[in-house]
């Protein structure tokens, strides 16, 4: 009989020895967004200048809400976190939220909870001494929020919530401070069911002293304005996030490795030069892909007890991640979109709207609309040949849906 506690301890000890073989103290590649620590933040000079200009102008009454847009894994969440801590350092009220399909009342609950927790309460969970003159009112509001959940308290009607929020913003918040609202995954609001929320945003974001940053896909503002055209006026600034340059990709890897290497390590240890070059070439400047590939390569190296990670290990990691990412994409699609993607795979991974419409016995218009949505999400590509437009599966989806011999 194996003692489970002893088994875990032994396995942990083996992992530590294997990590030392790779000249690493820990695996430095984490997907979590940067939170306050900017030593791993690479590049983005242009975007940071734009954000600095927006924050600077907002402090003097010129509010320009901004959308931060880019493909999945490009670093939007990390950039929002940089804004969060930069704004906190300037003593502004700052709230981070993730978009979800909620009503205006539910959103206000999330917003007020975040304002009080992150800005009015001290680190130890008590009311900051700066706001003691408003203590009774703030505590009354917070008590209402203690039952905070997706099911908002029925005893807290929206009119009352709006009055309380107005009190916090106009009576409690010091003059000269901004209330900065950061919303990630904002594409979740681009649905007809969120029309009421977007209409609320249109008026709410007009209030003085409120600055918002929405993060989402390259088509975020187009998607939002399809639901509520007035949103375009509220977000005059669009910050596009391109892929990292090759120099920035090398820098991203090196910074993280240096933070975790043992004293015996040099350069990009434990990666060989060819391994690093493969990662940079194949990951297309997408930070999340680079980080995931490095992390998976180290995991494989640990399991094999290796002393270095070469190009073959990196390719194995990429293949494994391709399958994993492909399944994640399929899970993200609607049933109708999944049928189209599978039909596209049955056609060898490349087909036109007309061909797919025949296979699925559906109208080209319907198929075309779904393909456009999937294309905007970055899961398929387009290629024009003469008068025909071909849709092509991404590598991640090919790895999942097309057998390897056919893919080759």
């Amino acid at each position: 009989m194996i003692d489970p506690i002893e088994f875990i301890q032994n396995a942990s000890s083996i992992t530590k020895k294997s990590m030392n073989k790779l000249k690493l103290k820990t695996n430095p590649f984490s997907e979590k967004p940067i939170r306050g620590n900017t030593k791993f933040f690479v590049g983005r000079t242009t975007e940071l200048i734009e954000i600095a200009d927006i924050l600077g102008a907002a402090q003097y009454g010129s509010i320009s809400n901004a959308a931060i847009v880019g493909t999945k894994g490009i670093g939007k969440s990390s950039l929002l976190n940089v804004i969060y801590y930069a704004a906190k350092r300037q003593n502004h009220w700052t709230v981070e939220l993730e978009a979800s399909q909620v009503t205006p009342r539910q959103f206000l609950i999330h917003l007020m909870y975040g304002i009080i927790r992150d800005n009015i309460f001290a680190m130890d969970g008590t009311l900051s001494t700066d706001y003691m003159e408003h203590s009774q009112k703030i505590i009354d509001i917070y008590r209402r929020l203690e039952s905070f959940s997706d099911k908002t308290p029925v005893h807290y009607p929206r009119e009352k919530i709006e009055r309380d929020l107005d009190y916090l913003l106009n009576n409690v918040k010091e003059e000269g401070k901004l209330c900065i609202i950061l919303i990630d995954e904002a594409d979740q609001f681009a649905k007809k069911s969120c029309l009421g929320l977007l209409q609320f945003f249109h008026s709410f974001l007009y209030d003085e002293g409120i600055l918002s940053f929405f993060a989402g896909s390259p088509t975020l503002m187009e998607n939002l304005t399809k639901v509520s055209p007035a949103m375009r006026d509220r977000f005059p600034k669009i910050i596009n996030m391109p892929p990292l340059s090759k120099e920035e990709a090398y820098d991203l890897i090196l910074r993280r490795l240096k933070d975790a290497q043992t004293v015996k390590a040099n350069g990009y240890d434990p990666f060989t030069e060819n391994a690093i070059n493969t990662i940079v070439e194949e990951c297309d400047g997408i930070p999340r892909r680079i980080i995931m590939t490095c992390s998976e390569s180290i995991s494989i190296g640990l399991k094999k007890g290796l002393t270095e990670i070469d190009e073959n290990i990196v390719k194995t990691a990429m293949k494994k991640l391709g399958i994993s990412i492909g399944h994640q994409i399929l899970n993200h699609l609607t049933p109708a979109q999944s049928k189209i993607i599978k039909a596209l795979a049955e056609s060898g991974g490349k087909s036109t709207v007309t061909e797919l419409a025949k296979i699925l016995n559906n109208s080209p218009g319907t198929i075309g609309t779904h393909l456009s949505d999937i294309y905007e999400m970055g899961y398929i590509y387009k290629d024009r040949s003469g008068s025909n437009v071909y849709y092509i599966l991404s590598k991640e989806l090919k790895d999942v849906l097309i057998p390897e011999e056919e893919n080759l």
Side-chain angles (χ1 to χ4, degrees):
M1 291 288 290
I2 297 175
D3 179 83
I5 295 174
E6 187 178 337
F7 174 80
I8 290 172
Q9 286 177 327
N10 291 338
S12 299
S13 177
I14 292 168
T15 300
K16 185 177 180 180
K17 289 177 183 177
S18 299
M19 191 72 78
N20 288 334
K21 278 187 182 180
L22 291 172
K23 300 179 183 177
L24 292 173
K25 292 175 282 188
T26 59
N27 185 341
F29 295 96
S30 168
E31 285 186 72
K32 292 181 180 179
I34 294 165
R35 299 198 67 85
N37 185 350
T38 55
K39 65 182 176 181
F40 297 146
F41 194 84
V42 174
R44 304 298 180 207
T45 304
T46 301
E47 295 89 327
L48 291 172
I49 290 171
E50 288 185 76
I51 289 164
D53 289 343
I54 291 168
L55 285 171
Q59 291 180 79
Y60 296 98
S62 181
I63 302 287
S64 293
N65 301 303
I68 298 172
V69 300
T71 56
K72 286 182 178 294
I74 203 70
K76 300 183 292 294
S77 297
S78 289
L79 191 57
L80 283 181
N81 272 284
V82 169
I83 298 171
Y84 179 88
Y85 285 100
K88 292 290 279 185
R89 191 174 292 181
Q90 292 179 335
N91 210 27
H92 296 304
W93 282 9
T94 314
V95 182
E96 279 188 292
L97 301 171
E98 189 167 305
S100 59
Q101 292 186 60
V102 294
T103 65
R105 184 176 72 157
Q106 289 171 317
F107 176 79
L108 286 171
I109 290 280
H110 285 257
L111 178 60
M112 277 208 294
Y113 187 77
I115 285 175
I116 295 175
R117 181 195 60 208
D118 294 349
N119 303 280
I120 297 177
F121 278 12
M123 292 292 290
D124 62 1
T126 61
L127 187 65
S128 171
T129 54
D130 295 339
Y131 304 110
M132 290 308 292
E133 64 177 295
H134 303 281
S135 60
Q136 191 56 55
K137 180 75 171 177
I138 292 169
I139 290 169
D140 286 344
I141 294 172
Y142 194 69
R143 279 176 179 161
R144 288 178 177 271
L145 297 171
E146 281 185 326
S147 53
F148 167 76
S149 68
D150 290 335
K151 295 180 180 178
T152 58
V154 293
H155 61 276
Y156 205 172
R158 179 175 163 183
E159 295 76 15
K160 173 64 175 168
I161 297 172
E162 289 181 351
R163 286 197 301 272
D164 288 343
L165 181 60
D166 181 73
Y167 177 82
L168 292 176
L169 294 175
N170 295 307
N171 294 78
V172 179
K173 182 171 67 67
E174 299 95 320
E175 189 176 346
K177 279 189 181 182
L178 297 169
C179 179
I180 299 173
I181 303 167
L182 309 171
I183 299 184
D184 207 356
E185 304 291 345
D187 290 274
Q188 291 291 324
F189 289 151
K191 296 179 174 121
K192 288 182 179 177
S193 58
C194 291
L195 175 59
L197 183 59
L198 293 180
Q199 288 173 335
F200 161 75
F201 268 124
H202 184 253
S203 58
F204 177 69
L205 296 180
Y206 193 69
D207 286 355
E208 189 176 339
I210 296 173
L211 175 64
S212 290
F213 291 88
F214 278 21
S217 71
T219 57
L220 170 63
M221 290 315 303
E222 181 184 335
N223 296 339
L224 291 176
T225 51
K226 281 180 183 176
V227 180
S228 178
M231 287 299 289
R232 170 63 70 183
D233 298 333
R234 290 291 173 262
F235 285 84
K237 302 282 187 181
I238 297 180
I239 300 171
N240 290 289
M241 295 188 69
L244 297 177
S245 67
K246 287 187 178 180
E247 291 76 13
E248 290 169 340
Y250 282 110
D251 191 24
L252 183 154
I253 297 169
L254 188 58
R255 285 194 196 192
R256 287 177 177 259
L257 283 173
K258 281 188 173 180
D259 191 62
Q261 287 172 333
T262 62
V263 291
K264 299 176 183 177
N266 292 303
Y268 288 97
D269 280 343
F271 292 90
T272 66
E273 186 177 342
N274 284 341
I276 291 292
N277 292 340
T278 299
I279 293 168
V280 171
E281 291 292 334
E282 296 294 329
C283 290
D284 300 322
I286 308 298
R288 187 180 297 166
R289 288 185 192 175
I290 295 169
I291 290 167
M292 289 175 68
T293 303
C294 290
S295 182
E296 185 60 34
S297 298
I298 289 173
S299 295
I300 294 171
L302 290 173
K303 289 173 185 174
K304 292 180 177 287
L306 302 177
T307 57
E308 71 172 14
I309 294 167
D310 61 17
E311 186 179 1
N312 291 327
I313 296 296
V314 167
K315 287 181 176 178
T316 300
M318 285 181 170
K319 184 176 178 182
K320 185 175 180 180
L321 287 170
I323 293 172
S324 174
I325 294 169
H327 281 299
Q328 288 176 28
I329 292 171
L330 286 175
N331 290 335
H332 183 67
L333 299 175
T334 66
Q337 290 170 342
S338 293
K339 284 182 182 178
I340 292 170
I341 287 297
K342 288 171 182 175
L344 191 53
E346 290 168 7
S347 301
K350 180 177 179 179
S351 188
T352 65
V353 172
T354 305
E355 290 167 349
L356 290 171
K358 288 180 181 177
I359 293 170
L360 294 166
N361 194 26
N362 210 326
S363 71
T366 301
I367 299 299
T369 299
H370 284 306
L371 284 170
S372 293
D373 290 341
I374 302 168
Y375 171 75
E376 287 176 357
M377 288 186 272
Y379 301 149
I380 57 177
Y381 307 104
K382 286 182 186 179
D383 183 34
R384 184 176 289 277
S385 178
S387 59
N388 291 322
V389 175
Y390 288 90
Y391 285 89
I392 304 165
L393 287 179
S394 66
K395 180 183 181 302
E396 292 83 3
L397 285 172
K398 282 181 180 177
D399 287 339
V400 172
L401 295 171
I402 300 178
E404 188 171 353
E405 61 272 15
E406 291 181 32
N407 209 341
L408 292 172

